Amino acid sequence: MRIAEIFYSLQGEGELIGVPSVFVRTSGCNLRCVWCDTPYTSWKPEGAEMSVEAIAAEAAAYGARHVVVTGGEPMIAPGMVELTGELKARGMHITVETAGTVAAAVICDLMSISPKLSNSTPWEREGGRWAAQHERLRYQPEVLRKLMESYPYQLKFVIARPEDAEEVERMAAETGAEAGRVMLMPEGTKAEMLAERGRWVAEICKQRGWRFSPRLHVELWGDRRGV
Ligand code: SF4
């Protein structure tokens, strides 16, 4: 499995925000979000091949109870089902961070699904060569329903424009998501932008009964790897 990084930090988003966690970040993604904050796993994937046993041993060595399997898109990484089995055998609480376009029979305590809205489509980046694939794959309602039925879940949306709320409303209705499990996060890789966008995103959450998620790692450490 190609791994971009393994590190120990605080969960920065969602309902486990602030929980000390080991992050296992796979490299490789089937999407190409224009604002991707880990382009070293998508636009220019980097990383070394590691065995499932070596990944699980390195993750467990930190001594943390929580592990976050993220990417890239971890659900397309070969060996992911085995890796989650190895992590669970070590007694870890497993969060899988996925865009929800692919289902795999992973072991997972929290399926953290972040479906991508139309604000993510890279129409102008690299001449738009990824835009058609991204548009075709980014929203898979059947996969979302299956994941939501199979695991405890949260549905996190990256919000860049006020009108994104209408897309969230439609996706939540089509997939049967509970309002209390829908979370909005402002898009941005700088604390000032998160604060500015966060104020109007918070108003949307109040109006529609959704939850607001900060991006703690960006606020604390900025747009850096390994945090
Ligand atoms: S799904 Fe995630 S890793 Fe893939 S391009 Fe989008 S933001 Fe980046």
Side-chain angles (χ1 to χ4, degrees):
M1 194 181 307
R2 196 172 187 194
I3 297 297
E5 52 191 356
I6 300 175
F7 59 94
Y8 183 48
S9 186
L10 302 181
Q11 171 59 282
E13 301 172 354
E15 67 178 47
L16 292 177
I17 193 165
V19 175
S21 306
V22 180
F23 289 76
V24 174
R25 188 183 301 289
T26 64
S27 194
C29 188
N30 56 345
L31 301 182
R32 291 293 183 278
C33 299
V34 66
W35 39 251
C36 179
D37 57 359
T38 57
Y40 52 94
T41 68
S42 57
W43 288 92
K44 292 193 168 44
E46 300 171 7
E49 286 293 328
M50 291 179 71
S51 70
V52 164
E53 293 72 24
I55 299 164
E58 186 170 334
Y62 287 95
R65 198 174 94 70
H66 284 74
V67 60
V68 180
V69 180
T70 185
E73 176 49 73
M75 295 292 245
I76 63 170
M80 185 49 65
V81 173
E82 293 77 9
L83 176 61
T84 57
E86 285 286 328
L87 294 167
K88 185 47 77 181
R90 286 165 166 80
M92 301 185 87
H93 175 287
I94 303 170
T95 298
V96 173
E97 300 274 357
T98 176
T101 62
V102 178
V106 294
I107 297 172
C108 171
D109 299 289
L110 175 62
M111 188 60 72
S112 180
I113 314 168
S114 184
K116 299 302 182 267
L117 304 176
S118 59
N119 68 29
S120 65
T121 306
W123 294 110
E124 290 172 8
R125 190 159 170 177
E126 293 192 4
R129 68 191 182 97
W130 287 98
Q133 174 177 320
H134 184 95
E135 243 340 75
R136 178 167 48 83
L137 295 180
R138 69 176 171 78
Y139 177 45
Q140 302 292 329
E142 283 302 321
V143 175
L144 294 176
R145 278 192 282 268
K146 185 171 166 54
L147 292 175
M148 290 157 55
E149 280 165 17
S150 305
Y151 301 97
Y153 72 91
Q154 61 187 10
L155 219 49
K156 291 187 303 182
F157 293 92
V158 175
I159 302 297
R161 315 167 295 203
E163 58 268 33
D164 291 342
E166 303 311 321
E167 253 181 281
V168 174
E169 191 81 63
R170 180 171 56 80
M171 285 189 184
E174 286 176 0
T175 57
E178 292 172 33
R181 292 173 188 259
V182 174
M183 299 183 182
L184 304 192
M185 299 185 300
E187 192 272 318
T189 52
K190 298 214 163 24
E192 307 75 51
M193 182 181 281
L194 291 181
E196 185 274 313
R197 284 187 168 156
R199 283 188 277 276
W200 55 257
V201 172
E203 290 306 313
I204 294 172
C205 289
K206 285 160 62 182
Q207 287 160 10
R208 308 210 185 211
W210 297 330
R211 290 167 70 174
F212 179 91
S213 173
R215 305 185 88 183
L216 182 64
H217 51 302
V218 177
E219 292 171 16
L220 289 177
W221 297 297
D223 183 23
R224 286 177 37 205
R225 287 179 70 157
V227 296

